Amino acid sequence: VYAAADHIVQRTILSERFVQLERAEAMRDMERVTAAIEDQVAQLDRLCLMKATRDDARAFVAGVNEAYPEVNLSEETLRIERVDLLYFCALDGRVVWGAVRDPETGTAVTLREFPRQELSLTHPLLVGDRQGAGGAVDGIMLTERGPMLAAARPLLDGGEDGLPLGT
């Protein structure tokens, strides 16, 4: 009789409470993970904004500053900034400069979603002439190599209120 009563108590009361506790803990874990990802995306967007608002970067995309990559886009700079993919594109989608690195090894790789010559004008990160939210895009993008945190900002001639030069 005791074993049967113990079994019923465990099945109906304790088991249900344990499931509730596990579910609540899983929800807290998901909230922490979501907040951490959102923080990483925000940091990436700030870095993107910093690069997009530099006069020398805009001059580079406009074809006037050929020294920009040598000074500002070295492998060491990308490693320190923890950037594994960086593209500068003209308004027509032409890739002015681009690099894609494997996050584990740091070696150069290719991604179907980021061709070396030109991005489609419908590419989700090609924001050069988009309006709304300042043309900025950020979030998680699925690639052939797995999910990637991404951010894109328009390069505007003359700063925040200028004409778009690219992304």
Side-chain angles (χ1 to χ4, degrees):
V1 174
Y2 172 76
D6 183 53
H7 178 71
I8 291 171
V9 167
Q10 284 186 20
R11 286 277 292 166
T12 57
I13 298 171
L14 295 179
S15 179
E16 185 177 317
R17 181 66 183 136
F18 180 73
V19 168
Q20 290 172 349
L21 289 171
E22 285 290 313
R23 189 170 290 135
E25 185 65 30
M27 290 302 291
R28 282 192 295 275
D29 289 345
M30 284 300 296
E31 289 169 1
R32 281 194 292 270
V33 167
T34 300
I37 290 171
E38 288 172 350
D39 182 55
Q40 290 292 310
V41 169
Q43 287 180 28
L44 183 60
D45 183 57
R46 284 191 295 275
L47 178 63
C48 189
L49 177 62
M50 181 185 75
K51 289 189 179 299
T53 55
R54 290 182 54 139
D55 291 336
D56 53 353
R58 292 192 304 267
F60 170 61
V61 171
V64 203
N65 183 359
E66 293 179 17
Y68 182 79
E70 185 178 321
V71 175
N72 297 285
L73 304 175
S74 70
E75 289 292 321
E76 181 68 9
T77 299
L78 296 179
R79 187 186 63 71
I80 289 169
E81 292 175 341
R82 296 177 39 207
V83 172
D84 298 316
L85 184 145
L86 181 62
Y87 269 45
F88 286 84
C89 297
L91 277 179
D92 63 1
R94 179 179 45 86
V95 176
V96 177
W97 187 92
V100 184
R101 300 177 325 147
D102 181 286
E104 306 270 326
T105 65
T107 59
V109 295
T110 59
L111 285 173
R112 269 190 315 266
E113 298 84 0
F114 292 90
R116 303 291 294 161
Q117 300 300 318
E118 150 178 75
L119 300 184
S120 162
L121 291 178
T122 60
H123 192 282
L125 296 179
L126 197 58
V127 297
D129 62 351
R130 293 186 192 164
Q131 300 302 316
V137 173
D138 63 29
I140 299 174
M141 181 176 182
L142 296 179
T143 72
E144 67 189 85
R145 297 175 73 88
M148 173 183 77
L149 301 182
R153 290 282 183 152
L155 293 157
L156 302 175
D157 184 27
E160 292 181 30
D161 298 322
L163 296 172
L165 296 170
T167 301

PDB file of all heavy atoms in Angstrom, residues 2-30:
ATOM      1  N   TYR A   2       1.957   1.268   0.822  1.00  0.00           N
ATOM      2  CA  TYR A   2       2.839   2.422   0.874  1.00  0.00           C
ATOM      3  C   TYR A   2       3.483   2.675  -0.484  1.00  0.00           C
ATOM      4  O   TYR A   2       3.570   3.825  -0.936  1.00  0.00           O
ATOM      5  CB  TYR A   2       3.923   2.230   1.945  1.00  0.00           C
ATOM      6  CG  TYR A   2       4.970   3.326   1.879  1.00  0.00           C
ATOM      7  CD1 TYR A   2       4.681   4.596   2.377  1.00  0.00           C
ATOM      8  CD2 TYR A   2       6.212   3.106   1.287  1.00  0.00           C
ATOM      9  CE1 TYR A   2       5.620   5.614   2.301  1.00  0.00           C
ATOM     10  CE2 TYR A   2       7.148   4.115   1.210  1.00  0.00           C
ATOM     11  CZ  TYR A   2       6.863   5.361   1.716  1.00  0.00           C
ATOM     12  OH  TYR A   2       7.780   6.373   1.632  1.00  0.00           O
ATOM     13  N   ALA A   3       3.969   1.637  -1.130  1.00  0.00           N
ATOM     14  CA  ALA A   3       4.637   1.785  -2.431  1.00  0.00           C
ATOM     15  C   ALA A   3       3.677   2.364  -3.455  1.00  0.00           C
ATOM     16  O   ALA A   3       4.048   3.231  -4.257  1.00  0.00           O
ATOM     17  CB  ALA A   3       5.174   0.440  -2.905  1.00  0.00           C
ATOM     18  N   ALA A   4       2.441   1.911  -3.471  1.00  0.00           N
ATOM     19  CA  ALA A   4       1.453   2.423  -4.418  1.00  0.00           C
ATOM     20  C   ALA A   4       1.151   3.895  -4.126  1.00  0.00           C
ATOM     21  O   ALA A   4       1.067   4.721  -5.046  1.00  0.00           O
ATOM     22  CB  ALA A   4       0.177   1.597  -4.356  1.00  0.00           C
ATOM     23  N   ALA A   5       0.992   4.244  -2.845  1.00  0.00           N
ATOM     24  CA  ALA A   5       0.707   5.634  -2.482  1.00  0.00           C
ATOM     25  C   ALA A   5       1.899   6.535  -2.823  1.00  0.00           C
ATOM     26  O   ALA A   5       1.732   7.639  -3.349  1.00  0.00           O
ATOM     27  CB  ALA A   5       0.379   5.724  -0.991  1.00  0.00           C
ATOM     28  N   ASP A   6       3.092   6.048  -2.546  1.00  0.00           N
ATOM     29  CA  ASP A   6       4.301   6.802  -2.862  1.00  0.00           C
ATOM     30  C   ASP A   6       4.405   7.040  -4.369  1.00  0.00           C
ATOM     31  O   ASP A   6       4.726   8.138  -4.820  1.00  0.00           O
ATOM     32  CB  ASP A   6       5.539   6.046  -2.357  1.00  0.00           C
ATOM     33  CG  ASP A   6       6.809   6.830  -2.605  1.00  0.00           C
ATOM     34  OD1 ASP A   6       6.864   8.024  -2.194  1.00  0.00           O
ATOM     35  OD2 ASP A   6       7.741   6.282  -3.227  1.00  0.00           O
ATOM     36  N   HIS A   7       4.125   6.030  -5.142  1.00  0.00           N
ATOM     37  CA  HIS A   7       4.169   6.131  -6.600  1.00  0.00           C
ATOM     38  C   HIS A   7       3.146   7.166  -7.110  1.00  0.00           C
ATOM     39  O   HIS A   7       3.459   7.990  -7.969  1.00  0.00           O
ATOM     40  CB  HIS A   7       3.904   4.763  -7.237  1.00  0.00           C
ATOM     41  CG  HIS A   7       3.888   4.801  -8.721  1.00  0.00           C
ATOM     42  ND1 HIS A   7       5.029   4.988  -9.471  1.00  0.00           N
ATOM     43  CD2 HIS A   7       2.868   4.688  -9.610  1.00  0.00           C
ATOM     44  CE1 HIS A   7       4.717   4.998 -10.748  1.00  0.00           C
ATOM     45  NE2 HIS A   7       3.400   4.805 -10.862  1.00  0.00           N
ATOM     46  N   ILE A   8       1.955   7.140  -6.562  1.00  0.00           N
ATOM     47  CA  ILE A   8       0.903   8.078  -6.984  1.00  0.00           C
ATOM     48  C   ILE A   8       1.306   9.517  -6.632  1.00  0.00           C
ATOM     49  O   ILE A   8       1.157  10.431  -7.439  1.00  0.00           O
ATOM     50  CB  ILE A   8      -0.454   7.701  -6.349  1.00  0.00           C
ATOM     51  CG1 ILE A   8      -0.953   6.390  -6.974  1.00  0.00           C
ATOM     52  CG2 ILE A   8      -1.477   8.815  -6.529  1.00  0.00           C
ATOM     53  CD1 ILE A   8      -2.155   5.799  -6.283  1.00  0.00           C
ATOM     54  N   VAL A   9       1.853   9.714  -5.437  1.00  0.00           N
ATOM     55  CA  VAL A   9       2.282  11.052  -5.019  1.00  0.00           C
ATOM     56  C   VAL A   9       3.395  11.552  -5.948  1.00  0.00           C
ATOM     57  O   VAL A   9       3.365  12.698  -6.421  1.00  0.00           O
ATOM     58  CB  VAL A   9       2.746  11.052  -3.547  1.00  0.00           C
ATOM     59  CG1 VAL A   9       3.485  12.329  -3.199  1.00  0.00           C
ATOM     60  CG2 VAL A   9       1.548  10.857  -2.630  1.00  0.00           C
ATOM     61  N   GLN A  10       4.374  10.697  -6.232  1.00  0.00           N
ATOM     62  CA  GLN A  10       5.467  11.106  -7.102  1.00  0.00           C
ATOM     63  C   GLN A  10       4.970  11.416  -8.513  1.00  0.00           C
ATOM     64  O   GLN A  10       5.398  12.389  -9.128  1.00  0.00           O
ATOM     65  CB  GLN A  10       6.549  10.021  -7.147  1.00  0.00           C
ATOM     66  CG  GLN A  10       7.388   9.999  -5.899  1.00  0.00           C
ATOM     67  CD  GLN A  10       8.534   9.011  -6.022  1.00  0.00           C
ATOM     68  OE1 GLN A  10       8.928   8.630  -7.110  1.00  0.00           O
ATOM     69  NE2 GLN A  10       9.050   8.596  -4.883  1.00  0.00           N
ATOM     70  N   ARG A  11       4.084  10.600  -9.037  1.00  0.00           N
ATOM     71  CA  ARG A  11       3.584  10.785 -10.413  1.00  0.00           C
ATOM     72  C   ARG A  11       2.719  12.032 -10.543  1.00  0.00           C
ATOM     73  O   ARG A  11       2.818  12.731 -11.536  1.00  0.00           O
ATOM     74  CB  ARG A  11       2.732   9.593 -10.857  1.00  0.00           C
ATOM     75  CG  ARG A  11       3.433   8.344 -11.192  1.00  0.00           C
ATOM     76  CD  ARG A  11       3.981   8.226 -12.537  1.00  0.00           C
ATOM     77  NE  ARG A  11       3.043   8.126 -13.646  1.00  0.00           N
ATOM     78  CZ  ARG A  11       3.462   8.286 -14.877  1.00  0.00           C
ATOM     79  NH1 ARG A  11       4.716   8.539 -15.111  1.00  0.00           N
ATOM     80  NH2 ARG A  11       2.628   8.178 -15.860  1.00  0.00           N
ATOM     81  N   THR A  12       1.885  12.280  -9.570  1.00  0.00           N
ATOM     82  CA  THR A  12       0.911  13.357  -9.742  1.00  0.00           C
ATOM     83  C   THR A  12       1.383  14.703  -9.184  1.00  0.00           C
ATOM     84  O   THR A  12       1.141  15.728  -9.797  1.00  0.00           O
ATOM     85  CB  THR A  12      -0.423  12.992  -9.074  1.00  0.00           C
ATOM     86  OG1 THR A  12      -0.205  12.715  -7.698  1.00  0.00           O
ATOM     87  CG2 THR A  12      -1.058  11.806  -9.755  1.00  0.00           C
ATOM     88  N   ILE A  13       2.077  14.697  -8.079  1.00  0.00           N
ATOM     89  CA  ILE A  13       2.425  15.969  -7.439  1.00  0.00           C
ATOM     90  C   ILE A  13       3.875  16.352  -7.729  1.00  0.00           C
ATOM     91  O   ILE A  13       4.149  17.410  -8.304  1.00  0.00           O
ATOM     92  CB  ILE A  13       2.176  15.907  -5.923  1.00  0.00           C
ATOM     93  CG1 ILE A  13       0.689  15.661  -5.665  1.00  0.00           C
ATOM     94  CG2 ILE A  13       2.655  17.182  -5.240  1.00  0.00           C
ATOM     95  CD1 ILE A  13       0.357  15.366  -4.229  1.00  0.00           C
ATOM     96  N   LEU A  14       4.809  15.512  -7.358  1.00  0.00           N
ATOM     97  CA  LEU A  14       6.222  15.847  -7.488  1.00  0.00           C
ATOM     98  C   LEU A  14       6.664  15.923  -8.948  1.00  0.00           C
ATOM     99  O   LEU A  14       7.411  16.825  -9.326  1.00  0.00           O
ATOM    100  CB  LEU A  14       7.073  14.835  -6.723  1.00  0.00           C
ATOM    101  CG  LEU A  14       6.881  14.833  -5.205  1.00  0.00           C
ATOM    102  CD1 LEU A  14       7.760  13.777  -4.563  1.00  0.00           C
ATOM    103  CD2 LEU A  14       7.189  16.201  -4.623  1.00  0.00           C
ATOM    104  N   SER A  15       6.222  15.000  -9.749  1.00  0.00           N
ATOM    105  CA  SER A  15       6.623  14.988 -11.150  1.00  0.00           C
ATOM    106  C   SER A  15       6.138  16.252 -11.868  1.00  0.00           C
ATOM    107  O   SER A  15       6.881  16.868 -12.626  1.00  0.00           O
ATOM    108  CB  SER A  15       6.072  13.748 -11.846  1.00  0.00           C
ATOM    109  OG  SER A  15       6.434  13.747 -13.200  1.00  0.00           O
ATOM    110  N   GLU A  16       4.906  16.653 -11.620  1.00  0.00           N
ATOM    111  CA  GLU A  16       4.367  17.855 -12.247  1.00  0.00           C
ATOM    112  C   GLU A  16       5.140  19.097 -11.801  1.00  0.00           C
ATOM    113  O   GLU A  16       5.467  19.960 -12.611  1.00  0.00           O
ATOM    114  CB  GLU A  16       2.881  18.000 -11.911  1.00  0.00           C
ATOM    115  CG  GLU A  16       2.233  19.172 -12.623  1.00  0.00           C
ATOM    116  CD  GLU A  16       0.747  19.243 -12.335  1.00  0.00           C
ATOM    117  OE1 GLU A  16       0.080  18.193 -12.352  1.00  0.00           O
ATOM    118  OE2 GLU A  16       0.275  20.370 -12.094  1.00  0.00           O
ATOM    119  N   ARG A  17       5.449  19.181 -10.521  1.00  0.00           N
ATOM    120  CA  ARG A  17       6.209  20.329 -10.000  1.00  0.00           C
ATOM    121  C   ARG A  17       7.620  20.341 -10.584  1.00  0.00           C
ATOM    122  O   ARG A  17       8.148  21.396 -10.927  1.00  0.00           O
ATOM    123  CB  ARG A  17       6.253  20.261  -8.471  1.00  0.00           C
ATOM    124  CG  ARG A  17       6.995  21.397  -7.839  1.00  0.00           C
ATOM    125  CD  ARG A  17       6.272  22.724  -8.053  1.00  0.00           C
ATOM    126  NE  ARG A  17       7.083  23.777  -7.470  1.00  0.00           N
ATOM    127  CZ  ARG A  17       7.319  24.930  -8.038  1.00  0.00           C
ATOM    128  NH1 ARG A  17       6.762  25.226  -9.183  1.00  0.00           N
ATOM    129  NH2 ARG A  17       8.079  25.822  -7.464  1.00  0.00           N
ATOM    130  N   PHE A  18       8.233  19.178 -10.713  1.00  0.00           N
ATOM    131  CA  PHE A  18       9.572  19.087 -11.295  1.00  0.00           C
ATOM    132  C   PHE A  18       9.554  19.564 -12.742  1.00  0.00           C
ATOM    133  O   PHE A  18      10.435  20.325 -13.161  1.00  0.00           O
ATOM    134  CB  PHE A  18      10.089  17.636 -11.217  1.00  0.00           C
ATOM    135  CG  PHE A  18      11.455  17.466 -11.792  1.00  0.00           C
ATOM    136  CD1 PHE A  18      12.572  17.943 -11.122  1.00  0.00           C
ATOM    137  CD2 PHE A  18      11.622  16.847 -13.018  1.00  0.00           C
ATOM    138  CE1 PHE A  18      13.840  17.809 -11.664  1.00  0.00           C
ATOM    139  CE2 PHE A  18      12.891  16.704 -13.566  1.00  0.00           C
ATOM    140  CZ  PHE A  18      14.001  17.174 -12.882  1.00  0.00           C
ATOM    141  N   VAL A  19       8.558  19.184 -13.522  1.00  0.00           N
ATOM    142  CA  VAL A  19       8.434  19.627 -14.912  1.00  0.00           C
ATOM    143  C   VAL A  19       8.272  21.147 -14.967  1.00  0.00           C
ATOM    144  O   VAL A  19       8.879  21.813 -15.804  1.00  0.00           O
ATOM    145  CB  VAL A  19       7.258  18.902 -15.619  1.00  0.00           C
ATOM    146  CG1 VAL A  19       6.930  19.547 -16.943  1.00  0.00           C
ATOM    147  CG2 VAL A  19       7.577  17.426 -15.801  1.00  0.00           C
ATOM    148  N   GLN A  20       7.484  21.712 -14.064  1.00  0.00           N
ATOM    149  CA  GLN A  20       7.306  23.167 -14.026  1.00  0.00           C
ATOM    150  C   GLN A  20       8.627  23.885 -13.730  1.00  0.00           C
ATOM    151  O   GLN A  20       8.950  24.892 -14.351  1.00  0.00           O
ATOM    152  CB  GLN A  20       6.252  23.553 -12.986  1.00  0.00           C
ATOM    153  CG  GLN A  20       4.840  23.169 -13.360  1.00  0.00           C
ATOM    154  CD  GLN A  20       3.865  23.410 -12.203  1.00  0.00           C
ATOM    155  OE1 GLN A  20       4.254  23.676 -11.071  1.00  0.00           O
ATOM    156  NE2 GLN A  20       2.580  23.274 -12.506  1.00  0.00           N
ATOM    157  N   LEU A  21       9.384  23.358 -12.759  1.00  0.00           N
ATOM    158  CA  LEU A  21      10.680  23.953 -12.425  1.00  0.00           C
ATOM    159  C   LEU A  21      11.648  23.862 -13.602  1.00  0.00           C
ATOM    160  O   LEU A  21      12.358  24.828 -13.906  1.00  0.00           O
ATOM    161  CB  LEU A  21      11.276  23.270 -11.189  1.00  0.00           C
ATOM    162  CG  LEU A  21      10.593  23.572  -9.861  1.00  0.00           C
ATOM    163  CD1 LEU A  21      11.139  22.658  -8.762  1.00  0.00           C
ATOM    164  CD2 LEU A  21      10.790  25.025  -9.492  1.00  0.00           C
ATOM    165  N   GLU A  22      11.692  22.718 -14.249  1.00  0.00           N
ATOM    166  CA  GLU A  22      12.573  22.534 -15.416  1.00  0.00           C
ATOM    167  C   GLU A  22      12.190  23.493 -16.540  1.00  0.00           C
ATOM    168  O   GLU A  22      13.058  24.083 -17.183  1.00  0.00           O
ATOM    169  CB  GLU A  22      12.504  21.089 -15.922  1.00  0.00           C
ATOM    170  CG  GLU A  22      13.248  20.101 -15.065  1.00  0.00           C
ATOM    171  CD  GLU A  22      14.745  20.293 -15.178  1.00  0.00           C
ATOM    172  OE1 GLU A  22      15.272  20.425 -16.297  1.00  0.00           O
ATOM    173  OE2 GLU A  22      15.400  20.318 -14.126  1.00  0.00           O
ATOM    174  N   ARG A  23      10.905  23.636 -16.787  1.00  0.00           N
ATOM    175  CA  ARG A  23      10.433  24.544 -17.844  1.00  0.00           C
ATOM    176  C   ARG A  23      10.822  25.994 -17.514  1.00  0.00           C
ATOM    177  O   ARG A  23      11.282  26.731 -18.384  1.00  0.00           O
ATOM    178  CB  ARG A  23       8.923  24.408 -18.004  1.00  0.00           C
ATOM    179  CG  ARG A  23       8.376  25.136 -19.217  1.00  0.00           C
ATOM    180  CD  ARG A  23       6.928  24.802 -19.493  1.00  0.00           C
ATOM    181  NE  ARG A  23       6.824  23.432 -19.967  1.00  0.00           N
ATOM    182  CZ  ARG A  23       5.923  22.558 -19.543  1.00  0.00           C
ATOM    183  NH1 ARG A  23       5.033  22.897 -18.640  1.00  0.00           N
ATOM    184  NH2 ARG A  23       5.890  21.340 -20.026  1.00  0.00           N
ATOM    185  N   ALA A  24      10.643  26.412 -16.265  1.00  0.00           N
ATOM    186  CA  ALA A  24      10.997  27.776 -15.860  1.00  0.00           C
ATOM    187  C   ALA A  24      12.505  28.014 -16.003  1.00  0.00           C
ATOM    188  O   ALA A  24      12.930  29.072 -16.478  1.00  0.00           O
ATOM    189  CB  ALA A  24      10.548  28.038 -14.420  1.00  0.00           C
ATOM    190  N   GLU A  25      13.296  27.029 -15.632  1.00  0.00           N
ATOM    191  CA  GLU A  25      14.758  27.152 -15.759  1.00  0.00           C
ATOM    192  C   GLU A  25      15.159  27.227 -17.231  1.00  0.00           C
ATOM    193  O   GLU A  25      16.024  28.023 -17.603  1.00  0.00           O
ATOM    194  CB  GLU A  25      15.452  25.965 -15.071  1.00  0.00           C
ATOM    195  CG  GLU A  25      16.957  26.062 -15.052  1.00  0.00           C
ATOM    196  CD  GLU A  25      17.475  27.226 -14.226  1.00  0.00           C
ATOM    197  OE1 GLU A  25      16.821  27.632 -13.257  1.00  0.00           O
ATOM    198  OE2 GLU A  25      18.551  27.737 -14.573  1.00  0.00           O
ATOM    199  N   ALA A  26      14.537  26.438 -18.073  1.00  0.00           N
ATOM    200  CA  ALA A  26      14.824  26.472 -19.515  1.00  0.00           C
ATOM    201  C   ALA A  26      14.464  27.835 -20.102  1.00  0.00           C
ATOM    202  O   ALA A  26      15.202  28.380 -20.938  1.00  0.00           O
ATOM    203  CB  ALA A  26      14.075  25.361 -20.237  1.00  0.00           C
ATOM    204  N   MET A  27      13.369  28.421 -19.674  1.00  0.00           N
ATOM    205  CA  MET A  27      12.968  29.746 -20.157  1.00  0.00           C
ATOM    206  C   MET A  27      13.982  30.810 -19.725  1.00  0.00           C
ATOM    207  O   MET A  27      14.338  31.689 -20.518  1.00  0.00           O
ATOM    208  CB  MET A  27      11.567  30.108 -19.653  1.00  0.00           C
ATOM    209  CG  MET A  27      10.448  29.303 -20.292  1.00  0.00           C
ATOM    210  SD  MET A  27      10.403  29.460 -22.085  1.00  0.00           S
ATOM    211  CE  MET A  27       9.897  31.150 -22.247  1.00  0.00           C
ATOM    212  N   ARG A  28      14.460  30.730 -18.486  1.00  0.00           N
ATOM    213  CA  ARG A  28      15.484  31.679 -18.022  1.00  0.00           C
ATOM    214  C   ARG A  28      16.763  31.522 -18.836  1.00  0.00           C
ATOM    215  O   ARG A  28      17.390  32.512 -19.214  1.00  0.00           O
ATOM    216  CB  ARG A  28      15.757  31.492 -16.532  1.00  0.00           C
ATOM    217  CG  ARG A  28      14.698  32.119 -15.636  1.00  0.00           C
ATOM    218  CD  ARG A  28      15.128  32.174 -14.181  1.00  0.00           C
ATOM    219  NE  ARG A  28      15.300  30.864 -13.588  1.00  0.00           N
ATOM    220  CZ  ARG A  28      14.315  30.132 -13.056  1.00  0.00           C
ATOM    221  NH1 ARG A  28      13.089  30.606 -13.057  1.00  0.00           N
ATOM    222  NH2 ARG A  28      14.561  28.958 -12.536  1.00  0.00           N
ATOM    223  N   ASP A  29      17.153  30.292 -19.134  1.00  0.00           N
ATOM    224  CA  ASP A  29      18.345  30.047 -19.955  1.00  0.00           C
ATOM    225  C   ASP A  29      18.173  30.634 -21.353  1.00  0.00           C
ATOM    226  O   ASP A  29      19.085  31.258 -21.887  1.00  0.00           O
ATOM    227  CB  ASP A  29      18.648  28.551 -20.056  1.00  0.00           C
ATOM    228  CG  ASP A  29      19.174  27.966 -18.756  1.00  0.00           C
ATOM    229  OD1 ASP A  29      19.575  28.744 -17.862  1.00  0.00           O
ATOM    230  OD2 ASP A  29      19.177  26.722 -18.634  1.00  0.00           O
ATOM    231  N   MET A  30      16.994  30.458 -21.941  1.00  0.00           N
ATOM    232  CA  MET A  30      16.734  30.999 -23.277  1.00  0.00           C
ATOM    233  C   MET A  30      16.779  32.525 -23.258  1.00  0.00           C
ATOM    234  O   MET A  30      17.297  33.149 -24.188  1.00  0.00           O
ATOM    235  CB  MET A  30      15.383  30.526 -23.805  1.00  0.00           C
ATOM    236  CG  MET A  30      15.382  29.088 -24.277  1.00  0.00           C
ATOM    237  SD  MET A  30      16.555  28.805 -25.619  1.00  0.00           S
ATOM    238  CE  MET A  30      15.858  29.829 -26.891  1.00  0.00           C
TER     239      MET A  30
END
